[in-house]
Amino acid sequence: MKGFKLIAALLIMSVGLNAQNNNSKAQSLLDRTSAALKAYKNMKVEFSYDMDNKEAKIHESKKGLLLVEGNKYRLNIAGQIIINDSKAVYTYIPDSKEVQINDPGEGDANLTPTSLLDSYQKKYRIKYIREELQGASNVMIIDLLPIEGKKFFKIRVVIDTKKNQLTSFALHDKNGNIYSYIIASFQTNIDLKPNSFTFKASDYPGVEVIDMR
């Protein structure tokens, strides 16, 4: 009986140590990926966006284009244009011919690959899930669990372990919604137009400006 208890204790300790080692390995990969993102002058990311809720039988899918340079970004998705020039966020909605202006803030809507991996050390706990082969790439799947209350209870990130590159991430909220971003193309240090991160109302004749700051 004592021998059984000793074996059980050793097994529990082994599982705990393996989890700790795997979480450390996950943090090391996140550190490398974050450092790589910070080293890029800019990024151009083509991606697909899926919103799923199994219980409600909802599935939506869209394609988008994201440009990132420092704290600035430009997002084109579903006909909308969202521009963050680091001082304000401009959301242009063609159907209603209006642009809404908001403070940048740090809300969930402002998540980009850079902002997500720039803040994970302070805002999330790291949980290693597994490693697997996706296509020709070996990837690590990691859960980021918010330390403080958020609309979502975890972000699942998938990282190419050889390229130190994010391939997808998914936000899971408390209502059963999953918002997935799957990267199709990732380019760095490219030539961008000077006005990529500015919004000029004069470029959109007849637009109504709604300043919500």
Side-chain angles (χ1 to χ4, degrees), residues 33-48:
T33 305
S34 178
L37 285 172
K38 290 177 182 177
Y40 300 138
K41 176 185 176 183
N42 56 48
M43 291 175 284
K44 179 181 179 181
V45 183
E46 294 180 42
F47 66 95
S48 61

Side-chain angles (χ1 to χ4, degrees), residues 17-36:
L17 288 173
N18 283 336
Q20 186 175 8
N21 289 337
N22 284 334
N23 287 342
S24 296
K25 185 163 62 171
Q27 177 159 350
S28 178
L29 179 59
L30 285 166
D31 288 343
R32 296 197 305 272
T33 305
S34 178

